Amino acid sequence: MIGMGRLLFELGERLQGKAHLRFITAGWERRIRIVVDDSPSQWQLTIAKGVASWDVWTEEQPADLIIRGAEKQMHMLFGGDELVYVLAKEKVQIAGPLRDQLKLDAILRLTCR
């Protein structure tokens, strides 16, 4: 299984490769905290100006959204396969404003291969 860092990097590449998503991400800048229940490390995914970047979570700023689940579900969620994504979405917990949850859902679905 590939690491979370690599998985989030690939998500960023897919997002940048789809020019039509710039309209969806324009003006939407969010920090997403990713909590992997069966791992000590936590991650952050930052989406700003149509670009997704990732890093290990630091508690300097609050998160706009929090995604929590097992490592297997995170791989399914961010892996880029739409059918697997739909299954994983049912098993993870996402906390934050509904509008941001819907926007993230659209971005993740549209970046699927």
Side-chain angles (χ1 to χ4, degrees):
M1 198 177 286
I2 62 173
M4 280 297 298
R6 178 71 184 163
L7 199 62
L8 295 173
F9 173 77
E10 290 174 359
L11 170 66
E13 285 186 331
R14 291 193 313 267
L15 179 62
Q16 286 183 304
K18 301 199 177 205
H20 64 281
L21 292 181
R22 291 188 189 122
F23 296 110
I24 293 175
T25 58
W28 192 72
E29 299 184 4
R30 298 293 184 270
R31 282 188 66 210
I32 302 160
R33 180 177 174 187
I34 301 167
V35 180
V36 182
D37 290 335
D38 46 357
S39 173
S41 55
Q42 297 182 24
W43 300 88
Q44 75 178 16
L45 176 65
T46 305
I47 298 177
K49 297 181 174 105
V51 176
S53 59
W54 62 272
D55 204 346
V56 175
W57 175 256
T58 59
E59 296 187 27
E60 297 170 3
Q61 298 176 348
D64 298 300
L65 286 170
I66 300 172
I67 302 173
R68 178 181 292 273
E71 186 173 5
K72 181 179 179 181
Q73 278 86 34
M74 295 301 176
H75 282 267
M76 293 168 66
L77 192 72
F78 295 110
D81 182 324
E82 188 170 6
L83 293 176
V84 173
Y85 166 78
V86 172
L87 180 66
K89 188 173 176 253
E90 299 296 320
K91 296 184 179 195
V92 298
Q93 298 171 338
I94 302 177
L98 182 58
R99 183 176 180 165
D100 289 340
Q101 290 182 40
L102 293 172
K103 181 78 82 161
L104 179 63
D105 180 55
I107 291 168
L108 292 176
R109 281 178 185 261
L110 293 170
T111 54
C112 287
R113 294 180 201 102

